[in-house]
Amino acid sequence: WSNGSIQQSAVFTQGGNYTVTVTDELNCQADKAFSIEMIELDMNVDVIDPLCHNDTTGIIEINEVSGGDMPYLYSIDSGSTVSSSPLFENVSPSTDSIMIFLIDDNGCIITQKVFVENPDLLILDLGNEEEINIGESINISAESNQDIFSIEWYPADSINCSGCLDI
């Protein structure tokens, strides 16, 4: 074998061009060249950011793996803990990248950095603090740095429109 082995069979862990030479008891030889094509271990990762600021609803999913040998193991904490599932839920946002580890059955490892972004903090502004006298009314507007989907004012019995942006 071109890898130096003198055994009847050899294990190859790298792709490349190889030869084997066989010698019989009469010292006759036969050579054979061959190639091993290694399919690189690769992964495709999807990240879904948390829904709200500092929320733990983020998702990391390794949705496509090619190459290597199954079964695969996955890690999102730099390999400290591994899982046979490619889906990681309840992921918190991080200011640093998260290192994804993919480990195949041969112990081959590849890594990929991903970011789980923290959505902007929802800020609510009701304007300046106001004082009113008994019998008076005031118009207060709710404003936000993001689109407002719904709003509820409490207590509803003293408001003319508990679901309106302005009261």
Side-chain angles (χ1 to χ4, degrees):
W1 297 100
S2 54
N3 67 355
S5 175
I6 58 171
Q7 303 299 317
Q8 186 169 349
S9 62
V11 175
F12 296 86
T13 59
Q14 299 288 326
N17 297 317
Y18 297 94
T19 58
V20 61
T21 302
V22 177
T23 306
D24 68 10
E25 69 233 15
L26 300 174
N27 213 25
C28 298
Q29 292 186 337
D31 294 324
K32 183 74 173 182
F34 62 98
S35 296
I36 297 175
E37 182 181 343
M38 294 293 283
I39 299 173
E40 294 291 324
L41 189 57
D42 195 19
M43 68 176 147
N44 186 23
V45 179
D46 282 338
V47 175
I48 299 174
D49 295 328
L51 298 174
C52 299
H53 186 76
N54 287 341
D55 208 354
T56 60
T57 57
I59 296 173
I60 296 175
E61 182 176 18
I62 298 92
N63 61 19
E64 185 179 323
V65 176
S66 60
D69 287 326
M70 294 175 63
Y72 302 112
L73 295 175
Y74 310 91
S75 175
I76 63 169
D77 61 3
S78 299
S80 296
T81 56
V82 294
S83 171
S84 60
S85 172
L87 179 64
F88 295 89
E89 298 178 299
N90 304 317
V91 178
S92 299
S94 176
T95 55
D96 297 324
S97 63
I98 295 174
M99 185 68 74
I100 309 296
F101 277 65
L102 171 65
I103 307 158
D104 80 348
D105 197 42
N106 297 314
C108 297
I109 300 172
I110 61 167
T111 60
Q112 182 176 331
K113 288 182 181 180
V114 298
F115 289 89
V116 178
E117 301 290 334
N118 199 4
D120 289 337
L121 178 64
L122 178 62
I123 298 172
L124 178 61
D125 183 11
L126 299 177
N128 295 330
E129 191 169 315
E130 301 283 341
E131 288 185 19
I132 62 171
N133 293 317
I134 295 176
E136 294 179 335
S137 65
I138 189 169
N139 186 28
I140 299 175
S141 294
E143 295 182 9
S144 175
N145 62 329
Q146 298 182 30
D147 291 335
I148 297 175
F149 177 72
S150 69
I151 190 165
E152 291 289 327
W153 297 88
Y154 297 99
D157 60 351
S158 64
I159 302 170
N160 65 356
C161 180
S162 64
C164 299
L165 290 178
D166 296 325
I167 59 166

